[in-house]
Amino acid sequence: MKNSSLPIKYSSILSIALICILAFIIAGCSTSVAMYQRGESYLNKGDYDSAINSFKSVLESNPNDPQALSLIGIAYYKKGDYNEAISHLDQAKEADPLKVEPYIYLGMSYEKLGQYQNAM
């Protein structure tokens, strides 16, 4: 005789596992959103080092996030570290070639370094 409770237990375990996975995903997303908001707040206040650290936290979970790459590049630009700005803005451009902001700040960063051909 078959044990009919086995499929029910198995489906219950799968349901619980799915719920746990979704909870971790949602918690991770809310953490990223909070770090974005914190980073943008720091950026607006002129606290560029704190903004950079916040955006780096976002990049830990999603290293190719075009928005985080762009914002960290902008923070480096505003801090006056144009080489780091270029590095991150290039990555942002690669991650999302249609995003305009990295191109603007790339041009301005190259201009600050006197690399006018690259700026154009």
PDB file of all heavy atoms in Angstrom, residues 11-26:
ATOM      1  N   SER A  11       5.372  18.355  -1.163  1.00  0.00           N
ATOM      2  CA  SER A  11       4.872  19.631  -1.683  1.00  0.00           C
ATOM      3  C   SER A  11       4.886  20.711  -0.605  1.00  0.00           C
ATOM      4  O   SER A  11       5.123  21.878  -0.892  1.00  0.00           O
ATOM      5  CB  SER A  11       3.470  19.472  -2.277  1.00  0.00           C
ATOM      6  OG  SER A  11       2.544  19.143  -1.272  1.00  0.00           O
ATOM      7  N   SER A  12       4.675  20.329   0.641  1.00  0.00           N
ATOM      8  CA  SER A  12       4.743  21.300   1.735  1.00  0.00           C
ATOM      9  C   SER A  12       6.163  21.818   1.907  1.00  0.00           C
ATOM     10  O   SER A  12       6.383  23.012   2.098  1.00  0.00           O
ATOM     11  CB  SER A  12       4.277  20.662   3.041  1.00  0.00           C
ATOM     12  OG  SER A  12       2.922  20.320   2.960  1.00  0.00           O
ATOM     13  N   ILE A  13       7.129  20.905   1.810  1.00  0.00           N
ATOM     14  CA  ILE A  13       8.529  21.312   1.928  1.00  0.00           C
ATOM     15  C   ILE A  13       8.905  22.237   0.776  1.00  0.00           C
ATOM     16  O   ILE A  13       9.561  23.263   0.974  1.00  0.00           O
ATOM     17  CB  ILE A  13       9.451  20.068   1.977  1.00  0.00           C
ATOM     18  CG1 ILE A  13       9.232  19.326   3.291  1.00  0.00           C
ATOM     19  CG2 ILE A  13      10.912  20.460   1.812  1.00  0.00           C
ATOM     20  CD1 ILE A  13       9.899  17.970   3.372  1.00  0.00           C
ATOM     21  N   LEU A  14       8.468  21.905  -0.425  1.00  0.00           N
ATOM     22  CA  LEU A  14       8.740  22.768  -1.570  1.00  0.00           C
ATOM     23  C   LEU A  14       8.097  24.137  -1.408  1.00  0.00           C
ATOM     24  O   LEU A  14       8.702  25.155  -1.736  1.00  0.00           O
ATOM     25  CB  LEU A  14       8.254  22.116  -2.873  1.00  0.00           C
ATOM     26  CG  LEU A  14       9.104  20.974  -3.409  1.00  0.00           C
ATOM     27  CD1 LEU A  14       8.452  20.372  -4.649  1.00  0.00           C
ATOM     28  CD2 LEU A  14      10.498  21.443  -3.727  1.00  0.00           C
ATOM     29  N   SER A  15       6.905  24.171  -0.901  1.00  0.00           N
ATOM     30  CA  SER A  15       6.216  25.448  -0.674  1.00  0.00           C
ATOM     31  C   SER A  15       6.958  26.305   0.338  1.00  0.00           C
ATOM     32  O   SER A  15       7.148  27.504   0.141  1.00  0.00           O
ATOM     33  CB  SER A  15       4.785  25.208  -0.183  1.00  0.00           C
ATOM     34  OG  SER A  15       4.033  24.546  -1.170  1.00  0.00           O
ATOM     35  N   ILE A  16       7.399  25.672   1.419  1.00  0.00           N
ATOM     36  CA  ILE A  16       8.143  26.404   2.449  1.00  0.00           C
ATOM     37  C   ILE A  16       9.466  26.910   1.883  1.00  0.00           C
ATOM     38  O   ILE A  16       9.860  28.051   2.117  1.00  0.00           O
ATOM     39  CB  ILE A  16       8.360  25.524   3.697  1.00  0.00           C
ATOM     40  CG1 ILE A  16       7.018  25.277   4.394  1.00  0.00           C
ATOM     41  CG2 ILE A  16       9.357  26.153   4.662  1.00  0.00           C
ATOM     42  CD1 ILE A  16       7.053  24.211   5.474  1.00  0.00           C
ATOM     43  N   ALA A  17      10.143  26.068   1.092  1.00  0.00           N
ATOM     44  CA  ALA A  17      11.415  26.472   0.476  1.00  0.00           C
ATOM     45  C   ALA A  17      11.203  27.652  -0.455  1.00  0.00           C
ATOM     46  O   ALA A  17      11.985  28.613  -0.458  1.00  0.00           O
ATOM     47  CB  ALA A  17      12.038  25.302  -0.267  1.00  0.00           C
ATOM     48  N   LEU A  18      10.146  27.614  -1.244  1.00  0.00           N
ATOM     49  CA  LEU A  18       9.838  28.713  -2.167  1.00  0.00           C
ATOM     50  C   LEU A  18       9.554  30.002  -1.408  1.00  0.00           C
ATOM     51  O   LEU A  18      10.043  31.074  -1.776  1.00  0.00           O
ATOM     52  CB  LEU A  18       8.656  28.351  -3.057  1.00  0.00           C
ATOM     53  CG  LEU A  18       8.235  29.386  -4.093  1.00  0.00           C
ATOM     54  CD1 LEU A  18       9.385  29.667  -5.057  1.00  0.00           C
ATOM     55  CD2 LEU A  18       7.014  28.933  -4.843  1.00  0.00           C
ATOM     56  N   ILE A  19       8.816  29.912  -0.341  1.00  0.00           N
ATOM     57  CA  ILE A  19       8.515  31.087   0.478  1.00  0.00           C
ATOM     58  C   ILE A  19       9.796  31.673   1.062  1.00  0.00           C
ATOM     59  O   ILE A  19      10.007  32.891   1.058  1.00  0.00           O
ATOM     60  CB  ILE A  19       7.497  30.734   1.593  1.00  0.00           C
ATOM     61  CG1 ILE A  19       6.122  30.476   0.975  1.00  0.00           C
ATOM     62  CG2 ILE A  19       7.417  31.837   2.642  1.00  0.00           C
ATOM     63  CD1 ILE A  19       5.115  29.864   1.920  1.00  0.00           C
ATOM     64  N   CYS A  20      10.697  30.807   1.537  1.00  0.00           N
ATOM     65  CA  CYS A  20      11.972  31.281   2.094  1.00  0.00           C
ATOM     66  C   CYS A  20      12.816  31.973   1.030  1.00  0.00           C
ATOM     67  O   CYS A  20      13.401  33.029   1.277  1.00  0.00           O
ATOM     68  CB  CYS A  20      12.747  30.122   2.711  1.00  0.00           C
ATOM     69  SG  CYS A  20      12.004  29.496   4.230  1.00  0.00           S
ATOM     70  N   ILE A  21      12.880  31.379  -0.149  1.00  0.00           N
ATOM     71  CA  ILE A  21      13.651  31.981  -1.238  1.00  0.00           C
ATOM     72  C   ILE A  21      13.087  33.353  -1.595  1.00  0.00           C
ATOM     73  O   ILE A  21      13.827  34.323  -1.749  1.00  0.00           O
ATOM     74  CB  ILE A  21      13.678  31.046  -2.469  1.00  0.00           C
ATOM     75  CG1 ILE A  21      14.536  29.809  -2.160  1.00  0.00           C
ATOM     76  CG2 ILE A  21      14.199  31.766  -3.706  1.00  0.00           C
ATOM     77  CD1 ILE A  21      14.409  28.703  -3.187  1.00  0.00           C
ATOM     78  N   LEU A  22      11.789  33.446  -1.720  1.00  0.00           N
ATOM     79  CA  LEU A  22      11.154  34.736  -2.037  1.00  0.00           C
ATOM     80  C   LEU A  22      11.416  35.767  -0.939  1.00  0.00           C
ATOM     81  O   LEU A  22      11.660  36.938  -1.229  1.00  0.00           O
ATOM     82  CB  LEU A  22       9.652  34.554  -2.249  1.00  0.00           C
ATOM     83  CG  LEU A  22       9.254  33.837  -3.529  1.00  0.00           C
ATOM     84  CD1 LEU A  22       7.752  33.574  -3.553  1.00  0.00           C
ATOM     85  CD2 LEU A  22       9.674  34.621  -4.755  1.00  0.00           C
ATOM     86  N   ALA A  23      11.397  35.329   0.307  1.00  0.00           N
ATOM     87  CA  ALA A  23      11.670  36.255   1.418  1.00  0.00           C
ATOM     88  C   ALA A  23      13.090  36.797   1.328  1.00  0.00           C
ATOM     89  O   ALA A  23      13.319  37.994   1.537  1.00  0.00           O
ATOM     90  CB  ALA A  23      11.443  35.557   2.756  1.00  0.00           C
ATOM     91  N   PHE A  24      14.054  35.934   1.010  1.00  0.00           N
ATOM     92  CA  PHE A  24      15.440  36.389   0.870  1.00  0.00           C
ATOM     93  C   PHE A  24      15.592  37.351  -0.299  1.00  0.00           C
ATOM     94  O   PHE A  24      16.299  38.350  -0.196  1.00  0.00           O
ATOM     95  CB  PHE A  24      16.397  35.210   0.699  1.00  0.00           C
ATOM     96  CG  PHE A  24      16.663  34.457   1.962  1.00  0.00           C
ATOM     97  CD1 PHE A  24      16.392  33.102   2.052  1.00  0.00           C
ATOM     98  CD2 PHE A  24      17.186  35.099   3.077  1.00  0.00           C
ATOM     99  CE1 PHE A  24      16.641  32.403   3.218  1.00  0.00           C
ATOM    100  CE2 PHE A  24      17.442  34.408   4.262  1.00  0.00           C
ATOM    101  CZ  PHE A  24      17.160  33.056   4.332  1.00  0.00           C
ATOM    102  N   ILE A  25      14.908  37.065  -1.399  1.00  0.00           N
ATOM    103  CA  ILE A  25      14.976  37.951  -2.561  1.00  0.00           C
ATOM    104  C   ILE A  25      14.384  39.315  -2.223  1.00  0.00           C
ATOM    105  O   ILE A  25      14.978  40.348  -2.508  1.00  0.00           O
ATOM    106  CB  ILE A  25      14.252  37.326  -3.776  1.00  0.00           C
ATOM    107  CG1 ILE A  25      15.055  36.128  -4.295  1.00  0.00           C
ATOM    108  CG2 ILE A  25      14.040  38.351  -4.883  1.00  0.00           C
ATOM    109  CD1 ILE A  25      14.334  35.304  -5.334  1.00  0.00           C
ATOM    110  N   ILE A  26      13.224  39.310  -1.597  1.00  0.00           N
ATOM    111  CA  ILE A  26      12.580  40.574  -1.228  1.00  0.00           C
ATOM    112  C   ILE A  26      13.434  41.346  -0.234  1.00  0.00           C
ATOM    113  O   ILE A  26      13.618  42.551  -0.363  1.00  0.00           O
ATOM    114  CB  ILE A  26      11.158  40.315  -0.670  1.00  0.00           C
ATOM    115  CG1 ILE A  26      10.247  39.828  -1.808  1.00  0.00           C
ATOM    116  CG2 ILE A  26      10.585  41.559  -0.012  1.00  0.00           C
ATOM    117  CD1 ILE A  26       8.919  39.284  -1.341  1.00  0.00           C
TER     118      ILE A  26
END
